[in-house]
Amino acid sequence: MKSFIFLFLFICSFVFSINVHSQGKGIIEPDYEVIKASVSDPSASSYYPKLMKRYLNYDETLTEDEFRLLYYGFIYQNNYDPYSPSMEHNALALYLEKETLDTKDCDAIINYVNISMIDYPFNFHLLRMSAYALHLKGTHVEADKRIKILDGVIQAILSSGDGKSMRTAFHVIYTQHEYEIVNYLGYNAEYQTLNNIWDIISISKNDDKIPALYFNVGEMLDAYKRKTEKINSGRKNSKTDE
């Protein structure tokens, strides 16, 4: 494995261990009706385009409540797709194979991420890659802003539950985030099962003796259903007009 991979994984581990101590402030289960109303009012400071503009500018004044509105409110935005294959962003894989990254490589990564974040603002991989590229360039202040934004999203998810049961499941808007949270908490995922609106990820033997973590994907599934119905309706209307 390239030396870059080891360094990159070290940076990832550092990013995901910043504020693990902040978990346990109390569960705030998302009230999706309230969230939808809050992010849909153009006159409010919580109007989604206003919040997203601050987020994409890596605004360090974003609060915990605003991170929750940003994360869970994204479900109600037109560009949300819970099963988008672009979440993987394989275009960045080329840079993971290099021994070292030069300034040109770092600039290419940062530019790619800046463009991609518009459609995929909660892609953890994008935020990690841009933070790492910025660190390599020596622009540590900007790199730290991205790390803090990533941590804000993680804490929003952690605030939604404790993952120990269906009743207190973490709420996520992407299945990829389930594995991110498992890793963040220091566990190793074994396999995933779906039970109604809950994804259950069995985890390897651990000192906490936790057999699995639970994730509520109910709103995510509803959003996917609405999106699919809208697409199908559009196709039917198109055929009718022909």
Side-chain angles (χ1 to χ4, degrees):
M1 185 178 289
K2 309 293 186 184
S3 59
F4 168 68
I5 295 293
F6 288 108
L7 184 55
F8 179 71
L9 291 175
F10 171 78
I11 292 294
C12 292
S13 176
F14 171 74
V15 168
F16 278 102
S17 63
I18 298 174
N19 283 326
V20 70
H21 65 274
S22 64
Q23 188 191 15
K25 291 182 178 179
I27 294 174
I28 307 173
E29 186 174 357
D31 186 327
Y32 290 102
E33 289 300 320
V34 171
I35 291 172
K36 184 177 181 181
S38 296
V39 301
S40 301
D41 181 2
S43 65
S45 60
S46 59
Y47 184 47
Y48 203 83
K50 294 178 183 177
L51 286 177
M52 182 51 66
K53 183 178 180 180
R54 292 172 60 196
Y55 178 85
L56 292 177
N57 285 327
Y58 306 103
D59 187 342
E60 295 180 276
T61 68
L62 286 166
T63 67
E64 293 180 6
D65 288 339
E66 288 171 334
F67 271 111
R68 282 190 283 269
L69 289 174
L70 275 161
Y71 183 71
Y72 296 110
F74 191 52
I75 280 181
Y76 308 108
Q77 309 311 304
N78 291 332
N79 57 334
Y80 170 68
D81 183 352
Y83 297 110
S84 171
S86 296
M87 281 291 289
E88 299 301 328
H89 288 274
N90 292 326
L92 293 176
L94 169 67
Y95 299 102
L96 297 177
E97 294 301 318
K98 290 196 169 187
E99 289 285 353
T100 59
L101 295 179
D102 57 27
T103 300
K104 186 177 179 180
D105 292 328
C106 291
D107 287 339
I109 291 171
I110 294 165
N111 290 334
Y112 179 86
V113 170
N114 287 342
I115 294 171
S116 300
M117 282 284 287
I118 296 173
D119 290 320
Y120 310 103
F122 303 110
N123 185 301
F124 293 4
H125 182 51
L126 289 178
L127 285 165
R128 287 195 295 261
M129 284 292 288
S130 62
Y132 184 66
L134 285 163
H135 269 301
L136 286 181
K137 288 190 65 176
T139 49
H140 303 301
V141 172
E142 290 302 313
D144 289 345
K145 286 182 180 180
R146 284 156 176 76
I147 291 174
K148 289 176 182 176
I149 285 290
L150 173 56
D151 189 66
V153 176
I154 293 171
Q155 298 308 320
I157 298 172
L158 294 178
S159 74
S160 68
D162 61 19
K164 295 179 180 179
S165 68
M166 291 181 179
R167 185 177 61 83
T168 60
F170 295 121
H171 288 243
V172 293
I173 66 172
Y174 291 107
T175 54
Q176 292 94 331
H177 290 170
E178 297 170 6
Y179 293 93
E180 298 279 7
I181 293 299
V182 169
N183 292 335
Y184 176 90
L185 295 175
Y187 303 124
N188 296 311
E190 290 189 333
Y191 58 89
Q192 177 203 73
T193 56
L194 175 65
N195 183 348
N196 196 3
I197 63 168
W198 294 277
D199 273 342
I200 306 169
I201 296 188
S202 296
I203 56 180
S204 302
K205 186 177 179 181
N206 55 85
D207 294 338
D208 299 322
K209 298 182 180 179
I210 296 176
L213 288 176
Y214 294 80
F215 296 86
N216 188 314
V217 293
E219 197 68 14
M220 184 187 83
L221 295 174
D222 285 345
Y224 181 69
K225 181 180 178 181
R226 291 193 298 269
K227 191 177 187 73
T228 302
E229 289 175 346
K230 185 176 181 180
I231 293 173
N232 290 337
S233 176
R235 287 172 178 168
K236 289 179 181 179
N237 292 334
S238 178
K239 288 182 180 180
T240 302
D241 293 338
E242 290 176 356

